[in-house]
Amino acid sequence: MTGGHRAGRNRRPFTRRTEAYLSTLAPPVVRDRPRGGTGSIAFGEFPGLADALNEAGVNVNRRRRGPRPIVLWHVAQPDHVRGVIAQAQR
């Protein structure tokens, strides 16, 4: 062992780096499932059909401006999680 680092030890990300990354994302939006208390959270907007087809290898003429939005699927208590994310973005 060198430098005081133990093999296999998980290290937490730097808070400053995480906050800087969150502030670059679009505000989170929620899509709730009717039952089960879960939902999905996207940053900005949810990807559309053209995005899914492009990822599947189907060439679609419509091009997205910028990268595909990040989506967190099947999140428990999505409204609460969205609030925590929005607070961290401020």
Side-chain angles (χ1 to χ4, degrees):
M1 271 191 281
T2 60
H5 183 271
R6 294 181 182 176
R9 182 177 171 191
N10 292 332
R11 298 175 69 176
R12 292 180 50 179
F14 292 104
T15 303
R16 187 177 314 146
R17 185 175 298 160
T18 302
E19 289 173 357
Y21 175 71
L22 278 174
S23 67
T24 64
L25 295 174
V29 293
V30 173
R31 183 179 293 166
D32 290 329
R33 293 183 66 184
R35 291 175 283 151
T38 63
S40 299
I41 301 171
F43 292 89
E45 63 183 27
F46 280 88
L49 178 61
D51 293 313
L53 290 173
N54 278 331
E55 282 192 3
V58 177
N59 188 9
V60 179
N61 290 336
R62 186 173 154 238
R63 298 273 185 214
R64 168 177 290 284
R65 295 180 196 174
R68 182 175 186 207
I70 296 171
V71 180
L72 307 173
W73 300 102
H74 310 293
V75 176
Q77 301 178 353
D79 291 319
H80 174 72
V81 174
R82 184 215 144 298
V84 170
I85 294 169
Q87 181 67 32
Q89 285 183 321
R90 293 183 192 146

